[in-house]
Amino acid sequence: AESVGGGIAASVVACAGSAPDAVAVVGPEGCLTYGGLVGRAARLAAYLRGVGVGPESVVGLCLPAGAEMVTAVLGVWLAGAAYLPLDPAFPAERLRFMLADSRAAVVVGTDETVGDLPAGRLRVVALDDPMVRRALEAAVPVETSPTRAEQLAYVVYTSGSTGRPKGVQVTFGGVAAYVAGVVGRVGLGGGGRFGVVQPLVTDLGNTMVFASLVSGGVLHVLDAGLAADPGAVRGFVAGWGIEHLKVVPSHLGALAGAGGLAGLLPKRVLVLGGEAVPLGLAAGLSEVAGDRVVVNHYGPTETTVGVLTARLGSVGVAAGVVAVGRPLPGSRVYVLDGSLRPVPVGVVGELFVGGAQVARGYGNRSALTAERFVADPFVADGSRLYRTGDRVRWTAAGQVEFLGRADGQVKVRGYRIEPG
């Protein structure tokens, strides 16, 4: 069945058809209406098809966070391909590694961001190159390429224990399950203003990006250079009247150190993700949230953005641990011992995740994929479980509590770091 690549694209195209002048994305470089977003994405998709991009192709996107990056993601999906987000601030050596390891055929950026990347096998598309710009000005019909659940949607690189980053291959089926689940569970439907205050090179921001696009909302993307400025973030949230926001707990805590939490909260829903929520921050949010929903959202990249949610107001803090909650619809979670047997309520074990959101695996890392993605012993359909390496336990209320790592992995501002 056609999956979320077509689903998100179809939703955006529908918005463009019914309200072409409605604002879709507001970024540091300006804003785009739904009509403008779809038109530009369709032209990029046609260009990519013309150079051989199609299903299972990987297209690197080396662009700063903003309207251009969102357009490029939509354009890649309209072409039926997968995107690889690349941070222009990364060293050229790391970018070259990710492009080669992912077997990307094309990289899209600007003269400044792709100038040091290799030519030859890799086709470099600089959007500000006069020839490319002229090619992207020609009017084209809006076409959506059919996508299937098992097809590759994007590749995101995370830290590896050997120092070599590993590319997590996420499918359209995984994204479809995630978007449907999180929009319904957290209450992100119905449009409104969505804020993104983190780089779009991780999957953390995908919660707001995809929820906004499928609901006809307005996506506001903060300039990455201002994300650590408390005054700029407060102005961004208040000035644009942001209703939905996702942020890393340590980022929020650092921002709150200069003026408190109240001015940083969106009007409707705050989602915390990327790392464990400290008890002090949870208590502080409970004091100032009022009728706003605050959600703790847990999940490694290998389970497509996030797989567990807990409303802080309803769950509270028990036994000195902030709960990470229950799985989204279509996902299964197990707390298992070393022999992959379920442990009783209250007993610490390792968290395993199954269901539609489990990624395909790691590109070019078959041994590591086999180690981390194991056969699901609880179903007979051939599906797999992802072993997270996280120590957790069930509560009597059916919530999962996160207790730490089974290895030495740490989180720094939401980024997974392997000390090795």
Side-chain angles (χ1 to χ4, degrees), residues 318-319 326 333-337 341-350 392-401 403:
R326 297 183 174 90
V333 299
Y334 305 95
V335 182
L336 307 179
D337 64 16
R341 296 174 301 191
V343 300
V345 170
V347 175
V348 177
E350 183 178 355
V392 301
R393 67 186 172 204
W394 286 110
T395 69
Q399 301 281 337
V400 174
E401 291 180 340
L403 302 173

Side-chain angles (χ1 to χ4, degrees), residues 281-351:
L281 180 62
L285 286 168
S286 297
E287 292 178 1
V288 301
D291 60 356
R292 288 167 286 203
V293 174
V294 181
V295 175
N296 190 13
H297 191 21
Y298 161 93
T301 297
E302 290 86 346
T303 61
T304 312
V305 186
V307 73
L308 297 172
T309 64
R311 288 184 61 167
L312 292 188
S314 62
V315 174
V317 177
V321 178
V322 180
V324 289
R326 297 183 174 90
L328 294 175
S331 291
R332 305 183 302 276
V333 299
Y334 305 95
V335 182
L336 307 179
D337 64 16
S339 299
L340 300 190
R341 296 174 301 191
V343 300
V345 170
V347 175
V348 177
E350 183 178 355
L351 182 66

Side-chain angles (χ1 to χ4, degrees), residues 21-375:
D21 296 326
V23 176
V25 186
V26 179
E29 73 276 50
C31 67
L32 274 179
T33 63
Y34 272 94
L37 173 63
V38 167
R40 293 175 69 170
R43 291 191 290 273
L44 177 59
Y47 185 94
L48 293 174
R49 290 191 196 100
V51 297
V53 167
E56 297 298 318
S57 298
V58 176
V59 179
L61 301 180
C62 194
L63 294 161
E68 201 72 75
M69 180 66 166
V70 176
T71 302
V73 169
L74 183 60
V76 170
W77 277 2
L78 283 172
Y83 71 90
L84 166 68
L86 301 166
D87 192 334
F90 281 175
E93 181 181 354
R94 180 180 173 92
L95 296 179
R96 286 194 289 266
F97 167 80
M98 290 190 289
L99 287 164
D101 187 68
S102 67
R103 299 175 182 170
V106 179
V107 60
V108 176
T110 65
D111 280 333
E112 180 180 359
T113 63
V114 299
D116 292 331
L117 299 180
R121 179 194 64 81
L122 183 70
R123 179 181 287 270
V124 177
V125 179
L127 297 177
D128 50 356
D129 178 272
M131 292 182 63
V132 174
R133 195 162 50 219
R134 282 195 295 273
L136 294 178
E137 288 174 353
V140 299
V142 179
E143 299 179 10
T144 58
S145 297
T147 53
R148 301 189 66 82
E150 65 274 14
Q151 197 174 310
L152 191 62
Y154 63 78
V155 180
V156 171
Y157 276 79
T158 65
S159 178
S161 58
T162 64
R164 175 188 173 193
K166 53 187 185 290
V168 182
Q169 298 179 320
V170 176
T171 64
F172 280 116
V175 182
Y178 173 70
V179 174
V182 78
V183 167
R185 171 72 62 81
V186 177
L188 298 176
R193 296 182 179 273
F194 295 74
V196 174
V197 294
Q198 58 273 322
L200 297 180
V201 295
T202 68
D203 63 349
L204 189 79
N206 288 354
T207 307
M208 295 293 114
V209 173
F210 298 152
S212 182
L213 291 178
V214 301
S215 67
V218 183
L219 180 67
H220 295 268
V221 184
L222 180 67
D223 187 321
L226 300 176
D229 183 336
V233 176
R234 291 175 195 279
F236 172 76
V237 172
W240 289 111
I242 300 298
E243 295 167 277
H244 312 282
L245 182 70
K246 185 178 182 183
V247 65
V248 176
S250 58
H251 185 190
L252 181 63
L255 294 171
L261 284 167
L264 297 166
L265 300 188
K267 292 182 176 181
R268 292 172 56 188
V269 179
L270 174 67
V271 180
L272 302 170
E275 63 191 22
V277 179
L279 291 170
L281 180 62
L285 286 168
S286 297
E287 292 178 1
V288 301
D291 60 356
R292 288 167 286 203
V293 174
V294 181
V295 175
N296 190 13
H297 191 21
Y298 161 93
T301 297
E302 290 86 346
T303 61
T304 312
V305 186
V307 73
L308 297 172
T309 64
R311 288 184 61 167
L312 292 188
S314 62
V315 174
V317 177
V321 178
V322 180
V324 289
R326 297 183 174 90
L328 294 175
S331 291
R332 305 183 302 276
V333 299
Y334 305 95
V335 182
L336 307 179
D337 64 16
S339 299
L340 300 190
R341 296 174 301 191
V343 300
V345 170
V347 175
V348 177
E350 183 178 355
L351 182 66
F352 287 70
V353 178
Q357 287 184 222
V358 174
R360 179 188 292 180
Y362 303 114
N364 300 320
R365 305 286 289 276
S366 57
L368 183 60
T369 297
E371 175 188 332
R372 306 304 299 181
F373 295 83
V374 300

